[in-house]
Amino acid sequence: MFNPRDIIEILAANVRQTKSPFGIPKFMANTWHKDLCLPKEGEYLLFTGLMYQFAPYIEKSTQYLEKYEDTKIAGYLKYTRLLPGYFSGIGLAMMTKPKEKKKAAKPLKDIAYLLQKSKVNFGYRPDLDNYSGILLYDMGDQQGFIAHAKKVARQLQDAGIKKIITIDPHTAYAFKELYPKYTGFGFDVKQYFELLNFEPKDCGLEVTLHDPCFFGRYQKLSDVPREQLSNMGISVTNIRNQGEFTSCCGGPAESISPRLSNEIMEKRAKELQASGKPIVAYCPICLGNLKKSGADVQDLSTLLAKHA
Amino acid sequence: MSLVTLDFAEELKEYCGDNAFECFNCGTCAAICPLVHDNFPRRMIRYIQVGARQKILENSDELWRCLHCGLCTQTCPREADPGEIILGLKRFVVANWRKS
Ligand code: SF4
Ligand code: SF4
């Protein structure tokens, strides 16, 4: 286990300096939209919160943390907060393979495609798309979270944004529950899969769905992807821990203890693999973490886009 | 350092509210917690109830093992919201570090 204080102070300094917990400048991480010509205006703003974009960098940094957990070198971690956030962030970005970055862009492109195919009136503004600050909140840095969230919310408010589409459970939770409480700004928040509308199909497939804690339990939204899948003729295997009683993938412990995170992940992956069906996740953290087990896991958006 | 801090509950209110006093120590949260770790989170909630401020600070690293998965909150029969209490304790500890 790493010293939580070291990790929190690094993440907090990175968010303050670069608006990203990993210090990755936005222009480097958020490139998925460049060849898509998405409209800028619409009834909704697509707000990705950059979590899918950060996934390959999280994976890379966890590989390093894994190597040094409980070694003497772990004690030196605190000194990295003396480096400017951009410095460590750009280093991390350079170490992450372009193939991994391209893979991370796929769910984002699929989500934009699904929304367009469902005739949802949405726009995308990369200048307004920012990280929500949720990791600071989860780590207990309330002050840091509020300061960051206020900046993000004010920018949206100044641009006249009232309705947003989120694509991951953590950003959705931040905007639904935390932003109104701590920033004073409220938005009408929809998750992308709540807005999809396709002709029924009969794909004749069966999958195992891993519900993320923040959709299944905190937001009680796990029926919606099941309805979308059933509309396409894709049935979902019943497993013991699902919906409101889903089990965590272990992802949230990644930065403090990769070992603990792996233990929890292995247990959950085994549960999901028992049916022998392909596994579907709908959170970038769960997706990345479960993939580490070597299991056949894909994002919900990938499956839907393939058959829509 | 005294073992109990009599006004600890008052000090914690700002970070955690006072839900810890709803807890009747049934242990459901510790039984369902995926960490399976030394009566966590129930032990931390008990520390709050008895005013064991120092114990919480001494064992504070444990708080960051919590995944914020919410299973304990979902199953607590007293609606004490143990998951949010742990998050509140993290806020208390971070504020304490920054003051020191
Ligand atoms: S489940 Fe609720 S009442 Fe039971 S020990 Fe945990 S917090 Fe207390
Ligand atoms: S929220 Fe934390 S304490 Fe509660 S069950 Fe999950 S990991 Fe355990």
mmCIF file of all heavy atoms in Angstrom, chain A residues 52-87:
data_model
loop_
_atom_site.group_PDB
_atom_site.id
_atom_site.type_symbol
_atom_site.label_atom_id
_atom_site.label_comp_id
_atom_site.label_asym_id
_atom_site.label_seq_id
_atom_site.Cartn_x
_atom_site.Cartn_y
_atom_site.Cartn_z
ATOM 1 N N TYR A 52 -12.879 8.021 -20.133
ATOM 2 C CA TYR A 52 -12.459 7.015 -21.125
ATOM 3 C C TYR A 52 -11.094 7.393 -21.701
ATOM 4 O O TYR A 52 -10.257 6.534 -21.952
ATOM 5 C CB TYR A 52 -13.485 6.890 -22.256
ATOM 6 C CG TYR A 52 -14.618 5.928 -21.950
ATOM 7 C CD1 TYR A 52 -15.811 6.379 -21.390
ATOM 8 C CD2 TYR A 52 -14.486 4.563 -22.206
ATOM 9 C CE1 TYR A 52 -16.842 5.500 -21.093
ATOM 10 C CE2 TYR A 52 -15.511 3.674 -21.916
ATOM 11 C CZ TYR A 52 -16.691 4.150 -21.360
ATOM 12 O OH TYR A 52 -17.701 3.267 -21.068
ATOM 13 N N GLN A 53 -10.897 8.700 -21.912
ATOM 14 C CA GLN A 53 -9.624 9.155 -22.481
ATOM 15 C C GLN A 53 -8.448 8.875 -21.545
ATOM 16 O O GLN A 53 -7.331 8.639 -21.995
ATOM 17 C CB GLN A 53 -9.690 10.676 -22.762
ATOM 18 C CG GLN A 53 -10.633 11.089 -23.872
ATOM 19 C CD GLN A 53 -12.048 11.344 -23.368
ATOM 20 O OE1 GLN A 53 -12.559 10.629 -22.522
ATOM 21 N NE2 GLN A 53 -12.709 12.357 -23.909
ATOM 22 N N PHE A 54 -8.693 8.955 -20.228
ATOM 23 C CA PHE A 54 -7.593 8.748 -19.283
ATOM 24 C C PHE A 54 -7.246 7.274 -19.088
ATOM 25 O O PHE A 54 -6.172 6.950 -18.570
ATOM 26 C CB PHE A 54 -7.938 9.328 -17.895
ATOM 27 C CG PHE A 54 -7.938 10.832 -17.842
ATOM 28 C CD1 PHE A 54 -8.777 11.515 -16.965
ATOM 29 C CD2 PHE A 54 -7.083 11.581 -18.648
ATOM 30 C CE1 PHE A 54 -8.775 12.898 -16.896
ATOM 31 C CE2 PHE A 54 -7.078 12.969 -18.585
ATOM 32 C CZ PHE A 54 -7.933 13.628 -17.710
ATOM 33 N N ALA A 55 -8.167 6.373 -19.483
ATOM 34 C CA ALA A 55 -7.995 4.944 -19.150
ATOM 35 C C ALA A 55 -6.612 4.372 -19.511
ATOM 36 O O ALA A 55 -5.990 3.713 -18.667
ATOM 37 C CB ALA A 55 -9.118 4.124 -19.759
ATOM 38 N N PRO A 56 -6.068 4.609 -20.722
ATOM 39 C CA PRO A 56 -4.765 3.997 -21.008
ATOM 40 C C PRO A 56 -3.638 4.546 -20.139
ATOM 41 O O PRO A 56 -2.682 3.841 -19.842
ATOM 42 C CB PRO A 56 -4.510 4.345 -22.492
ATOM 43 C CG PRO A 56 -5.438 5.443 -22.823
ATOM 44 C CD PRO A 56 -6.604 5.332 -21.887
ATOM 45 N N TYR A 57 -3.772 5.807 -19.718
ATOM 46 C CA TYR A 57 -2.728 6.397 -18.868
ATOM 47 C C TYR A 57 -2.821 5.831 -17.449
ATOM 48 O O TYR A 57 -1.809 5.634 -16.775
ATOM 49 C CB TYR A 57 -2.855 7.927 -18.842
ATOM 50 C CG TYR A 57 -2.895 8.519 -20.224
ATOM 51 C CD1 TYR A 57 -4.073 8.990 -20.772
ATOM 52 C CD2 TYR A 57 -1.727 8.567 -20.994
ATOM 53 C CE1 TYR A 57 -4.116 9.511 -22.053
ATOM 54 C CE2 TYR A 57 -1.757 9.084 -22.277
ATOM 55 C CZ TYR A 57 -2.952 9.553 -22.801
ATOM 56 O OH TYR A 57 -2.984 10.053 -24.075
ATOM 57 N N ILE A 58 -4.068 5.587 -17.014
ATOM 58 C CA ILE A 58 -4.242 4.991 -15.679
ATOM 59 C C ILE A 58 -3.585 3.612 -15.683
ATOM 60 O O ILE A 58 -2.865 3.230 -14.767
ATOM 61 C CB ILE A 58 -5.750 4.864 -15.316
ATOM 62 C CG1 ILE A 58 -6.404 6.241 -15.234
ATOM 63 C CG2 ILE A 58 -5.944 4.100 -14.005
ATOM 64 C CD1 ILE A 58 -7.905 6.228 -14.936
ATOM 65 N N GLU A 59 -3.818 2.882 -16.785
ATOM 66 C CA GLU A 59 -3.249 1.533 -16.883
ATOM 67 C C GLU A 59 -1.724 1.587 -16.800
ATOM 68 O O GLU A 59 -1.097 0.814 -16.087
ATOM 69 C CB GLU A 59 -3.709 0.911 -18.203
ATOM 70 C CG GLU A 59 -3.593 -0.591 -18.208
ATOM 71 C CD GLU A 59 -3.907 -1.178 -19.570
ATOM 72 O OE1 GLU A 59 -4.849 -0.695 -20.236
ATOM 73 O OE2 GLU A 59 -3.183 -2.106 -19.965
ATOM 74 N N LYS A 60 -1.161 2.530 -17.535
ATOM 75 C CA LYS A 60 0.307 2.644 -17.555
ATOM 76 C C LYS A 60 0.838 3.000 -16.161
ATOM 77 O O LYS A 60 1.775 2.387 -15.672
ATOM 78 C CB LYS A 60 0.688 3.728 -18.571
ATOM 79 C CG LYS A 60 2.129 3.845 -18.847
ATOM 80 C CD LYS A 60 2.720 2.938 -19.789
ATOM 81 C CE LYS A 60 3.426 1.832 -19.954
ATOM 82 N NZ LYS A 60 3.737 0.755 -20.539
ATOM 83 N N SER A 61 0.201 4.008 -15.516
ATOM 84 C CA SER A 61 0.734 4.418 -14.209
ATOM 85 C C SER A 61 0.546 3.297 -13.189
ATOM 86 O O SER A 61 1.402 3.101 -12.325
ATOM 87 C CB SER A 61 0.118 5.724 -13.730
ATOM 88 O OG SER A 61 -1.239 5.570 -13.512
ATOM 89 N N THR A 62 -0.555 2.521 -13.311
ATOM 90 C CA THR A 62 -0.755 1.420 -12.359
ATOM 91 C C THR A 62 0.329 0.353 -12.529
ATOM 92 O O THR A 62 0.778 -0.242 -11.551
ATOM 93 C CB THR A 62 -2.158 0.787 -12.525
ATOM 94 O OG1 THR A 62 -3.114 1.833 -12.547
ATOM 95 C CG2 THR A 62 -2.492 -0.158 -11.394
ATOM 96 N N GLN A 63 0.765 0.149 -13.778
ATOM 97 C CA GLN A 63 1.838 -0.840 -14.004
ATOM 98 C C GLN A 63 3.087 -0.456 -13.208
ATOM 99 O O GLN A 63 3.752 -1.296 -12.623
ATOM 100 C CB GLN A 63 2.198 -0.908 -15.487
ATOM 101 C CG GLN A 63 1.224 -1.738 -16.301
ATOM 102 C CD GLN A 63 1.457 -1.567 -17.805
ATOM 103 O OE1 GLN A 63 2.444 -0.976 -18.243
ATOM 104 N NE2 GLN A 63 0.523 -2.089 -18.592
ATOM 105 N N TYR A 64 3.382 0.858 -13.186
ATOM 106 C CA TYR A 64 4.558 1.316 -12.433
ATOM 107 C C TYR A 64 4.327 1.208 -10.939
ATOM 108 O O TYR A 64 5.192 0.747 -10.195
ATOM 109 C CB TYR A 64 4.921 2.757 -12.837
ATOM 110 C CG TYR A 64 5.699 2.738 -14.115
ATOM 111 C CD1 TYR A 64 5.055 2.818 -15.335
ATOM 112 C CD2 TYR A 64 7.083 2.572 -14.100
ATOM 113 C CE1 TYR A 64 5.759 2.747 -16.533
ATOM 114 C CE2 TYR A 64 7.802 2.504 -15.279
ATOM 115 C CZ TYR A 64 7.133 2.595 -16.497
ATOM 116 O OH TYR A 64 7.836 2.506 -17.658
ATOM 117 N N LEU A 65 3.117 1.633 -10.511
ATOM 118 C CA LEU A 65 2.828 1.575 -9.071
ATOM 119 C C LEU A 65 2.910 0.130 -8.574
ATOM 120 O O LEU A 65 3.423 -0.145 -7.490
ATOM 121 C CB LEU A 65 1.437 2.159 -8.784
ATOM 122 C CG LEU A 65 1.294 3.674 -8.948
ATOM 123 C CD1 LEU A 65 -0.156 4.101 -8.797
ATOM 124 C CD2 LEU A 65 2.143 4.416 -7.911
ATOM 125 N N GLU A 66 2.407 -0.792 -9.399
ATOM 126 C CA GLU A 66 2.427 -2.218 -9.046
ATOM 127 C C GLU A 66 3.851 -2.682 -8.736
ATOM 128 O O GLU A 66 4.095 -3.426 -7.806
ATOM 129 C CB GLU A 66 1.920 -3.027 -10.245
ATOM 130 C CG GLU A 66 0.687 -3.845 -9.953
ATOM 131 C CD GLU A 66 -0.026 -4.274 -11.231
ATOM 132 O OE1 GLU A 66 0.605 -4.393 -12.307
ATOM 133 O OE2 GLU A 66 -1.236 -4.482 -11.149
ATOM 134 N N LYS A 67 4.775 -2.196 -9.555
ATOM 135 C CA LYS A 67 6.165 -2.606 -9.424
ATOM 136 C C LYS A 67 6.775 -2.141 -8.101
ATOM 137 O O LYS A 67 7.604 -2.812 -7.522
ATOM 138 C CB LYS A 67 6.963 -1.959 -10.570
ATOM 139 C CG LYS A 67 7.595 -2.991 -11.473
ATOM 140 C CD LYS A 67 8.076 -2.434 -12.736
ATOM 141 C CE LYS A 67 9.396 -1.943 -13.009
ATOM 142 N NZ LYS A 67 9.512 -1.349 -14.334
ATOM 143 N N TYR A 68 6.342 -0.960 -7.643
ATOM 144 C CA TYR A 68 7.018 -0.363 -6.494
ATOM 145 C C TYR A 68 6.241 -0.456 -5.182
ATOM 146 O O TYR A 68 6.733 -0.020 -4.149
ATOM 147 C CB TYR A 68 7.350 1.112 -6.798
ATOM 148 C CG TYR A 68 8.269 1.234 -7.985
ATOM 149 C CD1 TYR A 68 7.899 1.953 -9.112
ATOM 150 C CD2 TYR A 68 9.502 0.581 -7.986
ATOM 151 C CE1 TYR A 68 8.739 2.038 -10.221
ATOM 152 C CE2 TYR A 68 10.348 0.657 -9.080
ATOM 153 C CZ TYR A 68 9.966 1.388 -10.193
ATOM 154 O OH TYR A 68 10.799 1.458 -11.275
ATOM 155 N N GLU A 69 5.017 -1.028 -5.232
ATOM 156 C CA GLU A 69 4.212 -1.102 -4.005
ATOM 157 C C GLU A 69 4.989 -1.852 -2.912
ATOM 158 O O GLU A 69 5.553 -2.923 -3.156
ATOM 159 C CB GLU A 69 2.882 -1.827 -4.297
ATOM 160 C CG GLU A 69 1.970 -1.848 -3.084
ATOM 161 C CD GLU A 69 0.578 -2.391 -3.385
ATOM 162 O OE1 GLU A 69 0.323 -2.836 -4.521
ATOM 163 O OE2 GLU A 69 -0.268 -2.356 -2.467
ATOM 164 N N ASP A 70 4.987 -1.284 -1.711
ATOM 165 C CA ASP A 70 5.668 -1.866 -0.547
ATOM 166 C C ASP A 70 7.180 -2.086 -0.748
ATOM 167 O O ASP A 70 7.776 -2.957 -0.132
ATOM 168 C CB ASP A 70 4.989 -3.191 -0.126
ATOM 169 C CG ASP A 70 3.548 -2.959 0.317
ATOM 170 O OD1 ASP A 70 3.275 -1.880 0.857
ATOM 171 O OD2 ASP A 70 2.710 -3.844 0.087
ATOM 172 N N THR A 71 7.797 -1.326 -1.645
ATOM 173 C CA THR A 71 9.257 -1.370 -1.753
ATOM 174 C C THR A 71 9.800 -0.047 -1.195
ATOM 175 O O THR A 71 9.020 0.881 -0.946
ATOM 176 C CB THR A 71 9.738 -1.496 -3.221
ATOM 177 O OG1 THR A 71 9.394 -0.284 -3.903
ATOM 178 C CG2 THR A 71 9.105 -2.679 -3.927
ATOM 179 N N LYS A 72 11.108 0.051 -1.062
ATOM 180 C CA LYS A 72 11.719 1.276 -0.521
ATOM 181 C C LYS A 72 11.405 2.468 -1.417
ATOM 182 O O LYS A 72 11.227 3.588 -0.965
ATOM 183 C CB LYS A 72 13.240 1.087 -0.450
ATOM 184 C CG LYS A 72 13.705 0.611 0.874
ATOM 185 C CD LYS A 72 15.220 0.707 0.904
ATOM 186 C CE LYS A 72 15.768 -0.008 2.124
ATOM 187 N NZ LYS A 72 17.169 -0.374 1.923
ATOM 188 N N ILE A 73 11.335 2.200 -2.724
ATOM 189 C CA ILE A 73 11.132 3.286 -3.700
ATOM 190 C C ILE A 73 9.792 3.986 -3.475
ATOM 191 O O ILE A 73 9.658 5.181 -3.716
ATOM 192 C CB ILE A 73 11.248 2.712 -5.132
ATOM 193 C CG1 ILE A 73 12.692 2.273 -5.332
ATOM 194 C CG2 ILE A 73 10.833 3.727 -6.207
ATOM 195 C CD1 ILE A 73 12.975 1.557 -6.620
ATOM 196 N N ALA A 74 8.799 3.241 -2.935
ATOM 197 C CA ALA A 74 7.470 3.828 -2.698
ATOM 198 C C ALA A 74 7.575 5.080 -1.827
ATOM 199 O O ALA A 74 6.827 6.035 -1.986
ATOM 200 C CB ALA A 74 6.555 2.804 -2.051
ATOM 201 N N GLY A 75 8.550 5.086 -0.921
ATOM 202 C CA GLY A 75 8.731 6.211 -0.016
ATOM 203 C C GLY A 75 9.152 7.493 -0.722
ATOM 204 O O GLY A 75 8.982 8.589 -0.199
ATOM 205 N N TYR A 76 9.728 7.341 -1.925
ATOM 206 C CA TYR A 76 10.176 8.536 -2.656
ATOM 207 C C TYR A 76 9.068 9.189 -3.472
ATOM 208 O O TYR A 76 9.247 10.244 -4.048
ATOM 209 C CB TYR A 76 11.340 8.177 -3.604
ATOM 210 C CG TYR A 76 12.580 7.784 -2.856
ATOM 211 C CD1 TYR A 76 13.010 6.467 -2.837
ATOM 212 C CD2 TYR A 76 13.301 8.744 -2.147
ATOM 213 C CE1 TYR A 76 14.136 6.094 -2.123
ATOM 214 C CE2 TYR A 76 14.437 8.377 -1.426
ATOM 215 C CZ TYR A 76 14.847 7.057 -1.422
ATOM 216 O OH TYR A 76 15.948 6.708 -0.712
ATOM 217 N N LEU A 77 7.917 8.493 -3.509
ATOM 218 C CA LEU A 77 6.811 8.966 -4.344
ATOM 219 C C LEU A 77 6.429 10.418 -4.028
ATOM 220 O O LEU A 77 6.094 11.189 -4.904
ATOM 221 C CB LEU A 77 5.597 8.048 -4.136
ATOM 222 C CG LEU A 77 4.468 8.194 -5.127
ATOM 223 C CD1 LEU A 77 4.912 7.653 -6.479
ATOM 224 C CD2 LEU A 77 3.241 7.431 -4.664
ATOM 225 N N LYS A 78 6.520 10.749 -2.718
ATOM 226 C CA LYS A 78 6.074 12.091 -2.320
ATOM 227 C C LYS A 78 6.850 13.203 -3.035
ATOM 228 O O LYS A 78 6.344 14.288 -3.246
ATOM 229 C CB LYS A 78 6.131 12.281 -0.819
ATOM 230 C CG LYS A 78 7.467 12.061 -0.164
ATOM 231 C CD LYS A 78 7.308 12.395 1.329
ATOM 232 C CE LYS A 78 8.503 12.029 2.163
ATOM 233 N NZ LYS A 78 8.647 10.568 2.319
ATOM 234 N N TYR A 79 8.081 12.892 -3.437
ATOM 235 C CA TYR A 79 8.881 13.940 -4.080
ATOM 236 C C TYR A 79 8.397 14.256 -5.493
ATOM 237 O O TYR A 79 8.690 15.319 -6.016
ATOM 238 C CB TYR A 79 10.362 13.550 -4.092
ATOM 239 C CG TYR A 79 10.882 13.373 -2.686
ATOM 240 C CD1 TYR A 79 11.231 12.111 -2.212
ATOM 241 C CD2 TYR A 79 10.955 14.459 -1.817
ATOM 242 C CE1 TYR A 79 11.664 11.940 -0.907
ATOM 243 C CE2 TYR A 79 11.384 14.293 -0.505
ATOM 244 C CZ TYR A 79 11.732 13.035 -0.061
ATOM 245 O OH TYR A 79 12.143 12.864 1.231
ATOM 246 N N THR A 80 7.639 13.324 -6.088
ATOM 247 C CA THR A 80 7.172 13.604 -7.449
ATOM 248 C C THR A 80 6.183 14.770 -7.445
ATOM 249 O O THR A 80 5.958 15.393 -8.461
ATOM 250 C CB THR A 80 6.507 12.388 -8.137
ATOM 251 O OG1 THR A 80 5.359 12.046 -7.405
ATOM 252 C CG2 THR A 80 7.430 11.223 -8.259
ATOM 253 N N ARG A 81 5.602 15.063 -6.274
ATOM 254 C CA ARG A 81 4.685 16.210 -6.266
ATOM 255 C C ARG A 81 5.441 17.533 -6.393
ATOM 256 O O ARG A 81 4.846 18.580 -6.630
ATOM 257 C CB ARG A 81 3.760 16.173 -5.061
ATOM 258 C CG ARG A 81 4.386 16.510 -3.736
ATOM 259 C CD ARG A 81 3.265 16.697 -2.716
ATOM 260 N NE ARG A 81 3.759 17.057 -1.426
ATOM 261 C CZ ARG A 81 3.703 16.282 -0.355
ATOM 262 N NH1 ARG A 81 3.166 15.103 -0.425
ATOM 263 N NH2 ARG A 81 4.172 16.698 0.802
ATOM 264 N N LEU A 82 6.749 17.462 -6.256
ATOM 265 C CA LEU A 82 7.546 18.676 -6.449
ATOM 266 C C LEU A 82 7.752 18.979 -7.937
ATOM 267 O O LEU A 82 8.141 20.064 -8.312
ATOM 268 C CB LEU A 82 8.910 18.536 -5.756
ATOM 269 C CG LEU A 82 8.833 18.215 -4.251
ATOM 270 C CD1 LEU A 82 10.212 17.966 -3.683
ATOM 271 C CD2 LEU A 82 8.162 19.355 -3.499
ATOM 272 N N LEU A 83 7.469 17.970 -8.775
ATOM 273 C CA LEU A 83 7.582 18.190 -10.223
ATOM 274 C C LEU A 83 6.325 18.894 -10.714
ATOM 275 O O LEU A 83 5.238 18.617 -10.212
ATOM 276 C CB LEU A 83 7.652 16.845 -10.962
ATOM 277 C CG LEU A 83 8.877 15.964 -10.777
ATOM 278 C CD1 LEU A 83 8.621 14.612 -11.431
ATOM 279 C CD2 LEU A 83 10.078 16.619 -11.435
ATOM 280 N N PRO A 84 6.433 19.764 -11.719
ATOM 281 C CA PRO A 84 5.215 20.355 -12.246
ATOM 282 C C PRO A 84 4.325 19.262 -12.845
ATOM 283 O O PRO A 84 4.839 18.305 -13.442
ATOM 284 C CB PRO A 84 5.714 21.295 -13.339
ATOM 285 C CG PRO A 84 7.185 21.379 -13.205
ATOM 286 C CD PRO A 84 7.639 20.214 -12.397
ATOM 287 N N GLY A 85 3.002 19.391 -12.652
ATOM 288 C CA GLY A 85 2.068 18.373 -13.124
ATOM 289 C C GLY A 85 2.259 18.003 -14.583
ATOM 290 O O GLY A 85 2.267 16.829 -14.951
ATOM 291 N N TYR A 86 2.470 19.007 -15.437
ATOM 292 C CA TYR A 86 2.617 18.742 -16.870
ATOM 293 C C TYR A 86 3.807 17.848 -17.158
ATOM 294 O O TYR A 86 3.798 17.034 -18.060
ATOM 295 C CB TYR A 86 2.806 20.051 -17.660
ATOM 296 C CG TYR A 86 1.513 20.709 -18.036
ATOM 297 C CD1 TYR A 86 1.187 21.975 -17.569
ATOM 298 C CD2 TYR A 86 0.594 20.060 -18.871
ATOM 299 C CE1 TYR A 86 0.002 22.578 -17.901
ATOM 300 C CE2 TYR A 86 -0.598 20.657 -19.205
ATOM 301 C CZ TYR A 86 -0.899 21.916 -18.721
ATOM 302 O OH TYR A 86 -2.080 22.488 -19.059
ATOM 303 N N PHE A 87 4.883 18.035 -16.335
ATOM 304 C CA PHE A 87 6.116 17.300 -16.555
ATOM 305 C C PHE A 87 5.880 15.795 -16.426
ATOM 306 O O PHE A 87 6.166 15.014 -17.326
ATOM 307 C CB PHE A 87 7.152 17.790 -15.530
ATOM 308 C CG PHE A 87 8.533 17.277 -15.778
ATOM 309 C CD1 PHE A 87 9.327 17.874 -16.747
ATOM 310 C CD2 PHE A 87 9.037 16.225 -15.047
ATOM 311 C CE1 PHE A 87 10.612 17.411 -16.981
ATOM 312 C CE2 PHE A 87 10.307 15.752 -15.264
ATOM 313 C CZ PHE A 87 11.106 16.345 -16.235
#
